[in-house]
Amino acid sequence: MNPAARRVQRVYLTLMLGNTLAASFIWGINTLFLLDAGLSNFEAFAANAFFTAGMVIFEIPTGVVADTVGRKASYLLGTITLSVTTGLYWMLWLWHAPFVWWAIVSVLLGLGFTFFSGAVDAWLVDALAFAKYSGSLEAVFGRGLVVTGISMFVGSVLGGIIAQATNLGVPFLLRAGILVVMLVFAAVAMKDLGFTPDHSMGPVAATRNVLKQSIDHGLRKRSVRWMILSAPFASGVGIYAFYALQPYLLELYGDKTAYSIAGLAAAILSLAQVAGGVLASRIRLLFAKRTTTVIGASLTSILVLVALGLTSLFWLAVALLVIWGFVFAVAGPVRQAYLNDMIPSKQRATVLSFDSLFGSLGGVFIQPALGRAADLWGYGTSLVIGGVVELIGIPFLFASRRQNDPADTRKVQTDPADSQPSPRT
């Protein structure tokens, strides 16, 4: 990695560190926070569903910002929106507000995250290409996972300890403060290298064009299409499981007020994520195809979720949690690299946002459904059901594999703009 590429990577890793540290202050206690505000399990996960619905609604319009104004501008807007809406979340908890207000603010939180989705990864890949980096994308994404894993560990542990020492609202205030710091850093350090925003169209025409490009370079390209269509099942179940594990582990532990244990659960996931990030590029080299790695990790994730739902032993659940976090972390960088290598630079942020949209779409329907299952039959049964739901996405991964796209066997970064496209329908 040359000095220019190293500088790009350094900015990227700093963004990942700050964003994850801010977010992870509340990851270990978010569900407990919602329940403490007077919401039921169904309402708590419905609030999360409105968050993902916001991501679905705003993915395409905010994708216009990333591709026509700039990736830096998109990141800055996301940081501002998230810091404000996090403060609003704290106020709703303080007032024990009715569910309708949680739904509205959750949608706005989703808006904030859509400014991030696709834009940061697209910024990184384009800037690395501009810096003449020719190494493995998995390696860079893997380092990102290591940094975010460490940040998640620190933030989750501190969030749980601070919540127990003070109250469940303080970690949300800390999150808003860190986001303000990241806003200042990004304003100074980020530069849109290797990408020229397209200002030739107005907002409506640009939105229509973004949707067209998403379809042309996403759903119409078979290898990309099947990978995107698998996202709702893995993402929807993954989001639910992450937040359901907080009260579930406290239930197994035997003390529903031990907030530090909930923070520990997120911290354990972070350590597993560090290990997965370190080993992702090495594990990828054990297989001829990237899709083999993703499929293997997905099947393992399903088995672990079922086992988590069936166990009644706290420490066994913790061990299974480590395995689940590890395989999830291994699959992430490989899947990211596979998609990035199939998408031309100009449409990269657009299609990555489209992929995120489909993942969010799964969360809209799956989270409240599994939350309702938790109300009726318990968290364990809901995790088993989640494993069955995630299984539905496996055939789509195999369909992407069957297309034999060159990106499936590629081991170094290339720009697919001039490569031979996969067969289209």
Side-chain angles (χ1 to χ4, degrees), residues 333-354:
V334 179
R335 187 181 185 277
Q336 283 176 289
Y338 179 50
L339 278 175
N340 271 284
D341 268 344
M342 293 189 290
I343 306 167
S345 172
K346 289 184 178 180
Q347 290 79 33
R348 189 165 282 138
T350 295
V351 180
L352 292 177
S353 289
F354 197 58

Side-chain angles (χ1 to χ4, degrees), residues 75 282 421:
Y75 179 89
R282 294 176 176 84

Side-chain angles (χ1 to χ4, degrees), residues 14 66 68 107 119 159 164 170 230 316 353 357 390 410 420:
T14 304
T68 63
V107 169
Q164 188 147 3
V170 172
S230 71
L316 178 57
S353 289
L357 183 153
E390 187 173 349
R410 193 170 291 139
Q420 185 68 28

